[in-house]
Amino acid sequence: MMKTIGVLTSGGDAPGMNAAIRAVVRTAIYNDMKVIGIRRGYNGLIYGDLREMNIASVGDIIHRGGTILHTDRSDEFKTPEGMKKARNIIEIFGIEGVVVLGGDGSFRGALDLSRMGVPTIGIPCTIDNDINCTDYTIGFDTATNTVVDAINKIRDTVTSHQRANVIEVMGRGRGDIALYTGVAGGAEHIIMPEVPFDINDLCKRLIQGKDRGKRSHIIMLAESMFDVNELCKEIEEKTGIETRATVLGHIQRGGSPTVADRILASRMGYHAVQLLKEGIGNRIVCIRNNQIVDCDIEEGLAMQKGFDEELYEMSKVLSI
Ligand code: ADP
């Protein structure tokens, strides 16, 4: 049986990471394992930035955003020298298994650790919901709730002035944040990378809406698709509707995790330790049809996932 495991958070942070760390630490200690907190992502493994954790070190964190272990990106870890240093630290501290909380990039590191003979489990944490082997990632629910809260506020002022507002949200090449918040926030239009964008279609919908007396026009835009200010100018020129831009930015990454994220994080952290306890490594913990399952890291990374087309089509119907 495994006696000592390590846990680290890597890449972009996400609300709910702390709840997952808590679940990992408590489940491991309950099962008589020692847990070492590795700080600053893979850099902590290279530089030996480690600390043994106890039941109390994860007290009072379930409701906090960010990550108490801090996170980082480590280019050194990707080099043979970096890997060698990490291996030394793992041996010196007697770490027999590792739980990695992060996104796709972090899981490539987890795959390297597994190949090195260290059983490693990945837990998907990212607000972008861009990990294909799982229906949802930890942080997505909190981020989308933050965005919807912002939409509600923007709608108040937009309605007062009969304006349009283009709200740019995160997503890293994925439209899930824009789509889910567009539906939940009652947006008139959702611009996301998975769907070809037709500005004339958008403008037609805005004009039709205005003609029937609509006073607010909310347009969701997934990041890195267009210059949001240029887009607003174009919409304004074509429709005559005053159009403002809002870029929500890193507000989406912080905040107290929602109930859904805390429960998902707790379930996934618990499951990760169950796997290590049985000596199983090289897995990503996933949620599919509300069941916590796991899959091979390499297979998980290679998986493809479409977007929810039905939700997108529905959003067009509901926003007429
Ligand atoms: P995320 O996990 O959020 O997708 P990154 O892509 O920035 O974030 O990855 C986080 C870290 O994971 C990187 O800084 C690096 O240390 C490690 N990593 C990323 N890609 C690889 C890789 N191909 N091989 C080994 N480690 C990697």
Side-chain angles (χ1 to χ4, degrees), residues 10-15 17 73 101-104 107 123-132 134 136-143 170-172 174 177 252-253 261 264:
S10 160
D13 65 340
M17 273 182 158
R73 296 200 154 90
L101 280 61
D104 266 357
F107 293 166
I123 297 183
C125 298
T126 156
I127 64 161
D128 303 315
N129 207 30
D130 62 346
I131 296 177
N132 293 337
T134 185
Y136 294 103
T137 56
I138 295 167
F140 176 67
D141 189 67
T142 305
M170 288 184 167
R172 228 174 45 161
R174 183 69 145 252
I177 295 181
Q252 295 162 88
R253 291 258 286 264
D261 271 333
L264 182 61

PDB file of all heavy atoms in Angstrom, residues 10-15 17 73 101-104 107 123-132 134 136-143 170-172 174 177 252-253 261 264:
ATOM      1  N   SER A  10      -1.299  23.203 -10.901  1.00  0.00           N
ATOM      2  CA  SER A  10      -0.416  23.658 -11.977  1.00  0.00           C
ATOM      3  C   SER A  10      -1.212  24.364 -13.066  1.00  0.00           C
ATOM      4  O   SER A  10      -2.402  24.120 -13.248  1.00  0.00           O
ATOM      5  CB  SER A  10       0.302  22.427 -12.537  1.00  0.00           C
ATOM      6  OG  SER A  10       0.806  22.645 -13.824  1.00  0.00           O
ATOM      7  N   GLY A  11      -0.556  25.272 -13.795  1.00  0.00           N
ATOM      8  CA  GLY A  11      -1.217  25.994 -14.893  1.00  0.00           C
ATOM      9  C   GLY A  11      -2.178  27.039 -14.361  1.00  0.00           C
ATOM     10  O   GLY A  11      -1.981  27.584 -13.277  1.00  0.00           O
ATOM     11  N   GLY A  12      -3.236  27.291 -15.109  1.00  0.00           N
ATOM     12  CA  GLY A  12      -4.207  28.313 -14.708  1.00  0.00           C
ATOM     13  C   GLY A  12      -4.972  27.891 -13.470  1.00  0.00           C
ATOM     14  O   GLY A  12      -5.327  26.729 -13.328  1.00  0.00           O
ATOM     15  N   ASP A  13      -5.216  28.822 -12.551  1.00  0.00           N
ATOM     16  CA  ASP A  13      -5.975  28.442 -11.351  1.00  0.00           C
ATOM     17  C   ASP A  13      -7.472  28.440 -11.646  1.00  0.00           C
ATOM     18  O   ASP A  13      -7.918  28.949 -12.671  1.00  0.00           O
ATOM     19  CB  ASP A  13      -5.643  29.368 -10.166  1.00  0.00           C
ATOM     20  CG  ASP A  13      -6.088  30.792 -10.410  1.00  0.00           C
ATOM     21  OD1 ASP A  13      -6.304  31.157 -11.587  1.00  0.00           O
ATOM     22  OD2 ASP A  13      -6.222  31.552  -9.432  1.00  0.00           O
ATOM     23  N   ALA A  14      -8.229  27.813 -10.761  1.00  0.00           N
ATOM     24  CA  ALA A  14      -9.679  27.722 -10.940  1.00  0.00           C
ATOM     25  C   ALA A  14     -10.327  27.615  -9.564  1.00  0.00           C
ATOM     26  O   ALA A  14      -9.798  26.915  -8.691  1.00  0.00           O
ATOM     27  CB  ALA A  14     -10.019  26.494 -11.783  1.00  0.00           C
ATOM     28  N   PRO A  15     -11.465  28.300  -9.374  1.00  0.00           N
ATOM     29  CA  PRO A  15     -12.143  28.179  -8.084  1.00  0.00           C
ATOM     30  C   PRO A  15     -12.588  26.732  -7.858  1.00  0.00           C
ATOM     31  O   PRO A  15     -13.168  26.110  -8.758  1.00  0.00           O
ATOM     32  CB  PRO A  15     -13.369  29.100  -8.229  1.00  0.00           C
ATOM     33  CG  PRO A  15     -13.169  29.892  -9.467  1.00  0.00           C
ATOM     34  CD  PRO A  15     -12.183  29.173 -10.320  1.00  0.00           C
ATOM     35  N   MET A  17     -10.206  24.542  -6.679  1.00  0.00           N
ATOM     36  CA  MET A  17      -8.942  23.806  -6.496  1.00  0.00           C
ATOM     37  C   MET A  17      -8.718  23.521  -5.017  1.00  0.00           C
ATOM     38  O   MET A  17      -8.302  22.415  -4.649  1.00  0.00           O
ATOM     39  CB  MET A  17      -7.764  24.629  -7.029  1.00  0.00           C
ATOM     40  CG  MET A  17      -7.500  24.439  -8.516  1.00  0.00           C
ATOM     41  SD  MET A  17      -6.067  25.402  -9.057  1.00  0.00           S
ATOM     42  CE  MET A  17      -5.616  24.502 -10.552  1.00  0.00           C
ATOM     43  N   ARG A  73       3.728  28.060 -14.072  1.00  0.00           N
ATOM     44  CA  ARG A  73       4.014  27.323 -15.305  1.00  0.00           C
ATOM     45  C   ARG A  73       5.514  27.050 -15.265  1.00  0.00           C
ATOM     46  O   ARG A  73       6.296  27.915 -14.879  1.00  0.00           O
ATOM     47  CB  ARG A  73       3.609  28.159 -16.519  1.00  0.00           C
ATOM     48  CG  ARG A  73       2.096  28.398 -16.528  1.00  0.00           C
ATOM     49  CD  ARG A  73       1.550  28.765 -17.869  1.00  0.00           C
ATOM     50  NE  ARG A  73       0.145  28.387 -17.972  1.00  0.00           N
ATOM     51  CZ  ARG A  73      -0.875  29.183 -17.632  1.00  0.00           C
ATOM     52  NH1 ARG A  73      -0.655  30.401 -17.203  1.00  0.00           N
ATOM     53  NH2 ARG A  73      -2.123  28.747 -17.741  1.00  0.00           N
ATOM     54  N   LEU A 101      -3.575  18.732 -10.056  1.00  0.00           N
ATOM     55  CA  LEU A 101      -4.789  19.496 -10.329  1.00  0.00           C
ATOM     56  C   LEU A 101      -4.455  20.555 -11.373  1.00  0.00           C
ATOM     57  O   LEU A 101      -3.587  21.404 -11.130  1.00  0.00           O
ATOM     58  CB  LEU A 101      -5.266  20.202  -9.052  1.00  0.00           C
ATOM     59  CG  LEU A 101      -6.050  19.409  -8.020  1.00  0.00           C
ATOM     60  CD1 LEU A 101      -5.253  18.254  -7.475  1.00  0.00           C
ATOM     61  CD2 LEU A 101      -6.481  20.309  -6.888  1.00  0.00           C
ATOM     62  N   GLY A 102      -5.087  20.478 -12.540  1.00  0.00           N
ATOM     63  CA  GLY A 102      -4.763  21.456 -13.576  1.00  0.00           C
ATOM     64  C   GLY A 102      -5.514  21.174 -14.857  1.00  0.00           C
ATOM     65  O   GLY A 102      -6.519  20.455 -14.867  1.00  0.00           O
ATOM     66  N   GLY A 103      -4.974  21.718 -15.960  1.00  0.00           N
ATOM     67  CA  GLY A 103      -5.601  21.540 -17.265  1.00  0.00           C
ATOM     68  C   GLY A 103      -4.808  20.595 -18.144  1.00  0.00           C
ATOM     69  O   GLY A 103      -3.955  19.845 -17.656  1.00  0.00           O
ATOM     70  N   ASP A 104      -5.082  20.656 -19.445  1.00  0.00           N
ATOM     71  CA  ASP A 104      -4.442  19.786 -20.432  1.00  0.00           C
ATOM     72  C   ASP A 104      -2.918  19.767 -20.331  1.00  0.00           C
ATOM     73  O   ASP A 104      -2.301  18.704 -20.358  1.00  0.00           O
ATOM     74  CB  ASP A 104      -4.796  20.288 -21.839  1.00  0.00           C
ATOM     75  CG  ASP A 104      -6.010  19.567 -22.403  1.00  0.00           C
ATOM     76  OD1 ASP A 104      -6.515  18.653 -21.720  1.00  0.00           O
ATOM     77  OD2 ASP A 104      -6.424  19.918 -23.515  1.00  0.00           O
ATOM     78  N   PHE A 107      -1.645  17.913 -17.454  1.00  0.00           N
ATOM     79  CA  PHE A 107      -1.817  16.461 -17.602  1.00  0.00           C
ATOM     80  C   PHE A 107      -0.712  15.857 -18.465  1.00  0.00           C
ATOM     81  O   PHE A 107      -0.384  14.685 -18.338  1.00  0.00           O
ATOM     82  CB  PHE A 107      -3.190  16.125 -18.184  1.00  0.00           C
ATOM     83  CG  PHE A 107      -4.324  16.461 -17.246  1.00  0.00           C
ATOM     84  CD1 PHE A 107      -5.639  16.490 -17.697  1.00  0.00           C
ATOM     85  CD2 PHE A 107      -4.090  16.752 -15.909  1.00  0.00           C
ATOM     86  CE1 PHE A 107      -6.678  16.802 -16.835  1.00  0.00           C
ATOM     87  CE2 PHE A 107      -5.121  17.072 -15.040  1.00  0.00           C
ATOM     88  CZ  PHE A 107      -6.423  17.096 -15.515  1.00  0.00           C
ATOM     89  N   ILE A 123      -6.614  15.705 -12.020  1.00  0.00           N
ATOM     90  CA  ILE A 123      -7.980  16.173 -11.718  1.00  0.00           C
ATOM     91  C   ILE A 123      -8.212  17.451 -12.534  1.00  0.00           C
ATOM     92  O   ILE A 123      -7.464  18.419 -12.398  1.00  0.00           O
ATOM     93  CB  ILE A 123      -8.156  16.464 -10.204  1.00  0.00           C
ATOM     94  CG1 ILE A 123      -7.977  15.182  -9.388  1.00  0.00           C
ATOM     95  CG2 ILE A 123      -9.526  17.094  -9.938  1.00  0.00           C
ATOM     96  CD1 ILE A 123      -8.205  15.357  -7.886  1.00  0.00           C
ATOM     97  N   PRO A 124      -9.227  17.442 -13.418  1.00  0.00           N
ATOM     98  CA  PRO A 124      -9.431  18.579 -14.327  1.00  0.00           C
ATOM     99  C   PRO A 124      -9.926  19.842 -13.618  1.00  0.00           C
ATOM    100  O   PRO A 124     -11.048  19.882 -13.122  1.00  0.00           O
ATOM    101  CB  PRO A 124     -10.496  18.082 -15.315  1.00  0.00           C
ATOM    102  CG  PRO A 124     -10.955  16.769 -14.838  1.00  0.00           C
ATOM    103  CD  PRO A 124     -10.202  16.367 -13.621  1.00  0.00           C
ATOM    104  N   CYS A 125      -9.077  20.857 -13.589  1.00  0.00           N
ATOM    105  CA  CYS A 125      -9.425  22.140 -12.983  1.00  0.00           C
ATOM    106  C   CYS A 125      -9.160  23.240 -13.991  1.00  0.00           C
ATOM    107  O   CYS A 125      -8.002  23.487 -14.332  1.00  0.00           O
ATOM    108  CB  CYS A 125      -8.563  22.405 -11.745  1.00  0.00           C
ATOM    109  SG  CYS A 125      -8.757  21.225 -10.415  1.00  0.00           S
ATOM    110  N   THR A 126     -10.164  23.841 -14.502  1.00  0.00           N
ATOM    111  CA  THR A 126     -10.035  25.012 -15.376  1.00  0.00           C
ATOM    112  C   THR A 126     -11.412  25.624 -15.578  1.00  0.00           C
ATOM    113  O   THR A 126     -12.397  24.890 -15.722  1.00  0.00           O
ATOM    114  CB  THR A 126      -9.429  24.668 -16.761  1.00  0.00           C
ATOM    115  OG1 THR A 126      -9.838  25.669 -17.703  1.00  0.00           O
ATOM    116  CG2 THR A 126      -9.877  23.331 -17.285  1.00  0.00           C
ATOM    117  N   ILE A 127     -11.468  26.950 -15.598  1.00  0.00           N
ATOM    118  CA  ILE A 127     -12.784  27.584 -15.777  1.00  0.00           C
ATOM    119  C   ILE A 127     -13.299  27.394 -17.198  1.00  0.00           C
ATOM    120  O   ILE A 127     -14.481  27.548 -17.462  1.00  0.00           O
ATOM    121  CB  ILE A 127     -12.745  29.099 -15.445  1.00  0.00           C
ATOM    122  CG1 ILE A 127     -11.837  29.864 -16.416  1.00  0.00           C
ATOM    123  CG2 ILE A 127     -12.343  29.332 -14.007  1.00  0.00           C
ATOM    124  CD1 ILE A 127     -12.119  31.358 -16.441  1.00  0.00           C
ATOM    125  N   ASP A 128     -12.408  27.046 -18.145  1.00  0.00           N
ATOM    126  CA  ASP A 128     -12.788  27.025 -19.569  1.00  0.00           C
ATOM    127  C   ASP A 128     -13.577  25.799 -19.994  1.00  0.00           C
ATOM    128  O   ASP A 128     -14.099  25.767 -21.107  1.00  0.00           O
ATOM    129  CB  ASP A 128     -11.520  27.122 -20.436  1.00  0.00           C
ATOM    130  CG  ASP A 128     -10.712  28.363 -20.125  1.00  0.00           C
ATOM    131  OD1 ASP A 128     -11.336  29.431 -20.002  1.00  0.00           O
ATOM    132  OD2 ASP A 128      -9.482  28.280 -20.002  1.00  0.00           O
ATOM    133  N   ASN A 129     -13.668  24.805 -19.163  1.00  0.00           N
ATOM    134  CA  ASN A 129     -14.322  23.531 -19.492  1.00  0.00           C
ATOM    135  C   ASN A 129     -13.765  22.935 -20.792  1.00  0.00           C
ATOM    136  O   ASN A 129     -14.514  22.402 -21.612  1.00  0.00           O
ATOM    137  CB  ASN A 129     -15.840  23.705 -19.597  1.00  0.00           C
ATOM    138  CG  ASN A 129     -16.590  22.418 -19.286  1.00  0.00           C
ATOM    139  OD1 ASN A 129     -16.129  21.594 -18.496  1.00  0.00           O
ATOM    140  ND2 ASN A 129     -17.732  22.208 -19.924  1.00  0.00           N
ATOM    141  N   ASP A 130     -12.462  23.040 -20.977  1.00  0.00           N
ATOM    142  CA  ASP A 130     -11.872  22.622 -22.250  1.00  0.00           C
ATOM    143  C   ASP A 130     -11.067  21.323 -22.133  1.00  0.00           C
ATOM    144  O   ASP A 130     -10.076  21.126 -22.822  1.00  0.00           O
ATOM    145  CB  ASP A 130     -10.985  23.744 -22.821  1.00  0.00           C
ATOM    146  CG  ASP A 130      -9.818  24.095 -21.912  1.00  0.00           C
ATOM    147  OD1 ASP A 130      -9.824  23.675 -20.739  1.00  0.00           O
ATOM    148  OD2 ASP A 130      -8.892  24.786 -22.375  1.00  0.00           O
ATOM    149  N   ILE A 131     -11.503  20.435 -21.250  1.00  0.00           N
ATOM    150  CA  ILE A 131     -10.853  19.128 -21.157  1.00  0.00           C
ATOM    151  C   ILE A 131     -11.848  18.097 -21.680  1.00  0.00           C
ATOM    152  O   ILE A 131     -12.959  17.965 -21.156  1.00  0.00           O
ATOM    153  CB  ILE A 131     -10.403  18.849 -19.710  1.00  0.00           C
ATOM    154  CG1 ILE A 131      -9.334  19.896 -19.350  1.00  0.00           C
ATOM    155  CG2 ILE A 131      -9.857  17.435 -19.565  1.00  0.00           C
ATOM    156  CD1 ILE A 131      -8.831  19.823 -17.954  1.00  0.00           C
ATOM    157  N   ASN A 132     -11.440  17.428 -22.754  1.00  0.00           N
ATOM    158  CA  ASN A 132     -12.407  16.668 -23.544  1.00  0.00           C
ATOM    159  C   ASN A 132     -12.910  15.382 -22.906  1.00  0.00           C
ATOM    160  O   ASN A 132     -13.979  14.902 -23.258  1.00  0.00           O
ATOM    161  CB  ASN A 132     -11.804  16.365 -24.913  1.00  0.00           C
ATOM    162  CG  ASN A 132     -11.620  17.627 -25.728  1.00  0.00           C
ATOM    163  OD1 ASN A 132     -12.291  18.626 -25.491  1.00  0.00           O
ATOM    164  ND2 ASN A 132     -10.710  17.596 -26.686  1.00  0.00           N
ATOM    165  N   THR A 134     -13.920  14.881 -19.915  1.00  0.00           N
ATOM    166  CA  THR A 134     -14.880  15.063 -18.822  1.00  0.00           C
ATOM    167  C   THR A 134     -16.010  15.991 -19.261  1.00  0.00           C
ATOM    168  O   THR A 134     -15.795  16.891 -20.075  1.00  0.00           O
ATOM    169  CB  THR A 134     -14.162  15.636 -17.564  1.00  0.00           C
ATOM    170  OG1 THR A 134     -15.073  15.705 -16.481  1.00  0.00           O
ATOM    171  CG2 THR A 134     -13.575  17.015 -17.803  1.00  0.00           C
ATOM    172  N   TYR A 136     -17.583  18.079 -17.279  1.00  0.00           N
ATOM    173  CA  TYR A 136     -17.337  19.365 -16.627  1.00  0.00           C
ATOM    174  C   TYR A 136     -15.998  19.380 -15.911  1.00  0.00           C
ATOM    175  O   TYR A 136     -15.531  18.349 -15.436  1.00  0.00           O
ATOM    176  CB  TYR A 136     -18.456  19.677 -15.619  1.00  0.00           C
ATOM    177  CG  TYR A 136     -19.785  19.900 -16.305  1.00  0.00           C
ATOM    178  CD1 TYR A 136     -20.765  18.904 -16.299  1.00  0.00           C
ATOM    179  CD2 TYR A 136     -20.036  21.075 -17.006  1.00  0.00           C
ATOM    180  CE1 TYR A 136     -21.970  19.095 -16.969  1.00  0.00           C
ATOM    181  CE2 TYR A 136     -21.230  21.270 -17.671  1.00  0.00           C
ATOM    182  CZ  TYR A 136     -22.192  20.277 -17.653  1.00  0.00           C
ATOM    183  OH  TYR A 136     -23.368  20.456 -18.320  1.00  0.00           O
ATOM    184  N   THR A 137     -15.406  20.562 -15.830  1.00  0.00           N
ATOM    185  CA  THR A 137     -14.161  20.753 -15.080  1.00  0.00           C
ATOM    186  C   THR A 137     -14.464  21.565 -13.823  1.00  0.00           C
ATOM    187  O   THR A 137     -15.439  22.324 -13.788  1.00  0.00           O
ATOM    188  CB  THR A 137     -13.138  21.531 -15.930  1.00  0.00           C
ATOM    189  OG1 THR A 137     -13.728  22.778 -16.333  1.00  0.00           O
ATOM    190  CG2 THR A 137     -12.736  20.750 -17.171  1.00  0.00           C
ATOM    191  N   ILE A 138     -13.606  21.416 -12.836  1.00  0.00           N
ATOM    192  CA  ILE A 138     -13.752  22.192 -11.597  1.00  0.00           C
ATOM    193  C   ILE A 138     -13.456  23.665 -11.912  1.00  0.00           C
ATOM    194  O   ILE A 138     -12.426  23.973 -12.505  1.00  0.00           O
ATOM    195  CB  ILE A 138     -12.783  21.653 -10.516  1.00  0.00           C
ATOM    196  CG1 ILE A 138     -13.168  20.215 -10.129  1.00  0.00           C
ATOM    197  CG2 ILE A 138     -12.757  22.576  -9.290  1.00  0.00           C
ATOM    198  CD1 ILE A 138     -12.103  19.485  -9.309  1.00  0.00           C
ATOM    199  N   GLY A 139     -14.351  24.544 -11.548  1.00  0.00           N
ATOM    200  CA  GLY A 139     -14.158  25.980 -11.783  1.00  0.00           C
ATOM    201  C   GLY A 139     -15.113  26.569 -12.805  1.00  0.00           C
ATOM    202  O   GLY A 139     -15.418  27.762 -12.768  1.00  0.00           O
ATOM    203  N   PHE A 140     -15.589  25.724 -13.703  1.00  0.00           N
ATOM    204  CA  PHE A 140     -16.475  26.199 -14.774  1.00  0.00           C
ATOM    205  C   PHE A 140     -17.785  26.749 -14.211  1.00  0.00           C
ATOM    206  O   PHE A 140     -18.256  27.810 -14.616  1.00  0.00           O
ATOM    207  CB  PHE A 140     -16.741  25.053 -15.757  1.00  0.00           C
ATOM    208  CG  PHE A 140     -17.714  25.388 -16.857  1.00  0.00           C
ATOM    209  CD1 PHE A 140     -17.386  26.325 -17.830  1.00  0.00           C
ATOM    210  CD2 PHE A 140     -18.953  24.757 -16.932  1.00  0.00           C
ATOM    211  CE1 PHE A 140     -18.282  26.637 -18.856  1.00  0.00           C
ATOM    212  CE2 PHE A 140     -19.848  25.052 -17.953  1.00  0.00           C
ATOM    213  CZ  PHE A 140     -19.511  25.993 -18.916  1.00  0.00           C
ATOM    214  N   ASP A 141     -18.357  26.045 -13.253  1.00  0.00           N
ATOM    215  CA  ASP A 141     -19.644  26.488 -12.715  1.00  0.00           C
ATOM    216  C   ASP A 141     -19.512  27.832 -11.995  1.00  0.00           C
ATOM    217  O   ASP A 141     -20.346  28.724 -12.150  1.00  0.00           O
ATOM    218  CB  ASP A 141     -20.234  25.434 -11.769  1.00  0.00           C
ATOM    219  CG  ASP A 141     -21.655  25.781 -11.371  1.00  0.00           C
ATOM    220  OD1 ASP A 141     -22.538  25.750 -12.248  1.00  0.00           O
ATOM    221  OD2 ASP A 141     -21.879  26.147 -10.201  1.00  0.00           O
ATOM    222  N   THR A 142     -18.437  27.983 -11.228  1.00  0.00           N
ATOM    223  CA  THR A 142     -18.226  29.244 -10.508  1.00  0.00           C
ATOM    224  C   THR A 142     -18.013  30.392 -11.496  1.00  0.00           C
ATOM    225  O   THR A 142     -18.613  31.467 -11.361  1.00  0.00           O
ATOM    226  CB  THR A 142     -17.009  29.134  -9.574  1.00  0.00           C
ATOM    227  OG1 THR A 142     -17.200  28.010  -8.712  1.00  0.00           O
ATOM    228  CG2 THR A 142     -16.833  30.389  -8.733  1.00  0.00           C
ATOM    229  N   ALA A 143     -17.168  30.156 -12.493  1.00  0.00           N
ATOM    230  CA  ALA A 143     -16.873  31.209 -13.473  1.00  0.00           C
ATOM    231  C   ALA A 143     -18.147  31.629 -14.209  1.00  0.00           C
ATOM    232  O   ALA A 143     -18.395  32.824 -14.404  1.00  0.00           O
ATOM    233  CB  ALA A 143     -15.821  30.717 -14.459  1.00  0.00           C
ATOM    234  N   MET A 170     -13.854  34.547 -21.120  1.00  0.00           N
ATOM    235  CA  MET A 170     -12.724  33.655 -21.374  1.00  0.00           C
ATOM    236  C   MET A 170     -13.193  32.362 -22.059  1.00  0.00           C
ATOM    237  O   MET A 170     -14.356  32.229 -22.405  1.00  0.00           O
ATOM    238  CB  MET A 170     -12.017  33.346 -20.061  1.00  0.00           C
ATOM    239  CG  MET A 170     -11.235  34.551 -19.544  1.00  0.00           C
ATOM    240  SD  MET A 170     -10.316  34.138 -18.042  1.00  0.00           S
ATOM    241  CE  MET A 170      -9.246  35.562 -17.930  1.00  0.00           C
ATOM    242  N   GLY A 171     -12.297  31.410 -22.233  1.00  0.00           N
ATOM    243  CA  GLY A 171     -12.660  30.153 -22.877  1.00  0.00           C
ATOM    244  C   GLY A 171     -11.495  29.457 -23.572  1.00  0.00           C
ATOM    245  O   GLY A 171     -11.572  28.291 -23.888  1.00  0.00           O
ATOM    246  N   ARG A 172     -10.430  30.191 -23.813  1.00  0.00           N
ATOM    247  CA  ARG A 172      -9.231  29.616 -24.430  1.00  0.00           C
ATOM    248  C   ARG A 172      -9.552  28.736 -25.634  1.00  0.00           C
ATOM    249  O   ARG A 172      -9.268  27.535 -25.648  1.00  0.00           O
ATOM    250  CB  ARG A 172      -8.453  28.807 -23.385  1.00  0.00           C
ATOM    251  CG  ARG A 172      -6.988  29.143 -23.379  1.00  0.00           C
ATOM    252  CD  ARG A 172      -6.195  28.505 -22.311  1.00  0.00           C
ATOM    253  NE  ARG A 172      -6.438  27.098 -22.081  1.00  0.00           N
ATOM    254  CZ  ARG A 172      -5.605  26.288 -21.441  1.00  0.00           C
ATOM    255  NH1 ARG A 172      -4.466  26.768 -21.002  1.00  0.00           N
ATOM    256  NH2 ARG A 172      -5.891  25.036 -21.230  1.00  0.00           N
ATOM    257  N   ARG A 174     -12.425  27.804 -26.601  1.00  0.00           N
ATOM    258  CA  ARG A 174     -13.628  27.008 -26.386  1.00  0.00           C
ATOM    259  C   ARG A 174     -14.792  27.944 -26.041  1.00  0.00           C
ATOM    260  O   ARG A 174     -14.616  28.879 -25.276  1.00  0.00           O
ATOM    261  CB  ARG A 174     -13.340  26.055 -25.223  1.00  0.00           C
ATOM    262  CG  ARG A 174     -14.441  25.126 -24.912  1.00  0.00           C
ATOM    263  CD  ARG A 174     -14.632  24.088 -26.023  1.00  0.00           C
ATOM    264  NE  ARG A 174     -15.035  22.838 -25.416  1.00  0.00           N
ATOM    265  CZ  ARG A 174     -14.262  21.778 -25.311  1.00  0.00           C
ATOM    266  NH1 ARG A 174     -13.036  21.782 -25.760  1.00  0.00           N
ATOM    267  NH2 ARG A 174     -14.726  20.703 -24.737  1.00  0.00           N
ATOM    268  N   ILE A 177     -18.040  28.829 -21.991  1.00  0.00           N
ATOM    269  CA  ILE A 177     -18.392  29.910 -21.052  1.00  0.00           C
ATOM    270  C   ILE A 177     -19.383  30.849 -21.742  1.00  0.00           C
ATOM    271  O   ILE A 177     -20.423  31.197 -21.173  1.00  0.00           O
ATOM    272  CB  ILE A 177     -17.141  30.682 -20.556  1.00  0.00           C
ATOM    273  CG1 ILE A 177     -16.235  29.759 -19.737  1.00  0.00           C
ATOM    274  CG2 ILE A 177     -17.554  31.894 -19.719  1.00  0.00           C
ATOM    275  CD1 ILE A 177     -14.986  30.437 -19.170  1.00  0.00           C
ATOM    276  N   GLN A 252     -13.268  36.414 -13.736  1.00  0.00           N
ATOM    277  CA  GLN A 252     -13.865  35.087 -13.968  1.00  0.00           C
ATOM    278  C   GLN A 252     -13.088  33.967 -13.289  1.00  0.00           C
ATOM    279  O   GLN A 252     -13.584  32.854 -13.139  1.00  0.00           O
ATOM    280  CB  GLN A 252     -13.921  34.792 -15.476  1.00  0.00           C
ATOM    281  CG  GLN A 252     -14.825  35.722 -16.245  1.00  0.00           C
ATOM    282  CD  GLN A 252     -14.545  35.697 -17.737  1.00  0.00           C
ATOM    283  OE1 GLN A 252     -15.098  34.897 -18.460  1.00  0.00           O
ATOM    284  NE2 GLN A 252     -13.675  36.581 -18.204  1.00  0.00           N
ATOM    285  N   ARG A 253     -11.849  34.233 -12.928  1.00  0.00           N
ATOM    286  CA  ARG A 253     -11.018  33.165 -12.374  1.00  0.00           C
ATOM    287  C   ARG A 253     -11.086  33.070 -10.854  1.00  0.00           C
ATOM    288  O   ARG A 253     -10.632  32.079 -10.269  1.00  0.00           O
ATOM    289  CB  ARG A 253      -9.563  33.373 -12.806  1.00  0.00           C
ATOM    290  CG  ARG A 253      -9.341  33.143 -14.286  1.00  0.00           C
ATOM    291  CD  ARG A 253      -8.724  31.796 -14.555  1.00  0.00           C
ATOM    292  NE  ARG A 253      -7.337  31.771 -14.182  1.00  0.00           N
ATOM    293  CZ  ARG A 253      -6.318  31.967 -15.014  1.00  0.00           C
ATOM    294  NH1 ARG A 253      -6.545  32.194 -16.284  1.00  0.00           N
ATOM    295  NH2 ARG A 253      -5.095  31.931 -14.591  1.00  0.00           N
ATOM    296  N   ASP A 261     -19.312  23.319  -7.824  1.00  0.00           N
ATOM    297  CA  ASP A 261     -17.857  23.131  -7.918  1.00  0.00           C
ATOM    298  C   ASP A 261     -17.274  22.495  -6.656  1.00  0.00           C
ATOM    299  O   ASP A 261     -16.353  21.688  -6.729  1.00  0.00           O
ATOM    300  CB  ASP A 261     -17.162  24.464  -8.217  1.00  0.00           C
ATOM    301  CG  ASP A 261     -17.064  24.710  -9.720  1.00  0.00           C
ATOM    302  OD1 ASP A 261     -17.039  23.723 -10.482  1.00  0.00           O
ATOM    303  OD2 ASP A 261     -17.017  25.880 -10.131  1.00  0.00           O
ATOM    304  N   LEU A 264     -18.187  18.787  -6.897  1.00  0.00           N
ATOM    305  CA  LEU A 264     -17.390  18.135  -7.944  1.00  0.00           C
ATOM    306  C   LEU A 264     -15.939  17.950  -7.470  1.00  0.00           C
ATOM    307  O   LEU A 264     -15.350  16.873  -7.627  1.00  0.00           O
ATOM    308  CB  LEU A 264     -17.428  18.981  -9.224  1.00  0.00           C
ATOM    309  CG  LEU A 264     -16.686  18.423 -10.435  1.00  0.00           C
ATOM    310  CD1 LEU A 264     -17.269  17.080 -10.871  1.00  0.00           C
ATOM    311  CD2 LEU A 264     -16.726  19.410 -11.608  1.00  0.00           C
TER     312      LEU A 264
END
